[in-house]
Amino acid sequence: RRSGTVQVGIAGEAPYGFTDETGRVTGEAPEVARAVFRRLGVGDVQATQVDFNQLIPALNAGKFSVVAAGMFITPERCKNAAFSIPDYVAPTAFLVPSGNPEGVATFEDVVRKNLAVAVLSGAVEKDYAQRSGVPESQLQVFDSQNALLQAVVNKRVYCAALTGISLHDLVQKNPGAPVEVTPSFTPVIDGKPEVQAGAFVFRTDDTGLREAFDTELKALHDSGEWVRIASPFGFTQE
């Protein structure tokens, strides 16, 4: 509050947190963070971009105070950082060739049909795939969403797994690509659905900051203001 500035971390993943063509950092998470911090008396949100799998290490190294990148809450990540209240839920989908000739709808289909699947480095889909029985030989890891798209287009893999929101955004930005997005689904692993909730991330010791953030984030949810902020990025009340 004294400085009027907060540093946040993003991973360059649209539509969650990215830099647009004008050089402005935007996306669902940075825009929601701006609204929350304005309510906390902090008017300037500055962003640092790192690889997705380096967000929590960089947070703990003091490079920024909050991860604003749409990161899913997982038990493994909770060992190293503290999450805000859930911000949204975003189920998984697949990017597939137009017409989805193999009829892939779940990770079990990928296993059954012995298909190669691309995932994003550091994202949860690799874990979902492995725990659903996809063998290492069928998994290919890439560092960007565009690399996932090219892998499907060039037939290096049959499909790519990511949140449906991300994949629809990717297809919208590449209208000529011969691909489509499957209906979103919640993976069921060991008989239990994996709730895919994204949130903001804080250092474990920064309890006061996290609790203050949670209070204002919940106020945005409850008032309907959150939907207004997030809707340009493909998020809905549902």
Side-chain angles (χ1 to χ4, degrees), residues 4-117:
T5 299
V6 62
Q7 298 281 346
V8 304
I10 65 170
E13 183 186 354
Y16 297 100
F18 61 99
T19 304
D20 68 14
E21 56 275 5
T22 71
R24 174 179 166 82
V25 172
T26 187
E28 182 273 337
E31 297 300 347
V32 170
R34 285 189 176 104
V36 168
F37 279 111
R38 275 197 301 271
R39 296 169 71 106
L40 292 172
V42 181
D44 184 18
V45 175
Q46 300 182 359
T48 299
Q49 183 170 319
V50 301
D51 289 344
F52 192 88
N53 60 5
Q54 290 302 307
L55 283 166
I56 288 179
L59 171 73
N60 287 329
K63 292 186 177 180
F64 37 79
S65 298
V66 186
V67 173
M71 183 174 282
F72 277 7
I73 304 167
T74 69
E76 191 62 34
R77 289 171 180 164
C78 287
K79 295 176 184 176
N80 299 303
F83 283 82
S84 70
I85 59 172
D87 188 36
Y88 63 86
V89 172
T92 298
F94 290 106
L95 186 71
V96 295
S98 296
N100 193 10
E102 294 289 348
V104 166
T106 66
F107 286 112
E108 287 75 15
D109 295 332
V110 172
V111 176
R112 184 166 48 83
K113 293 175 176 283
N114 194 31
L115 299 171
V117 57

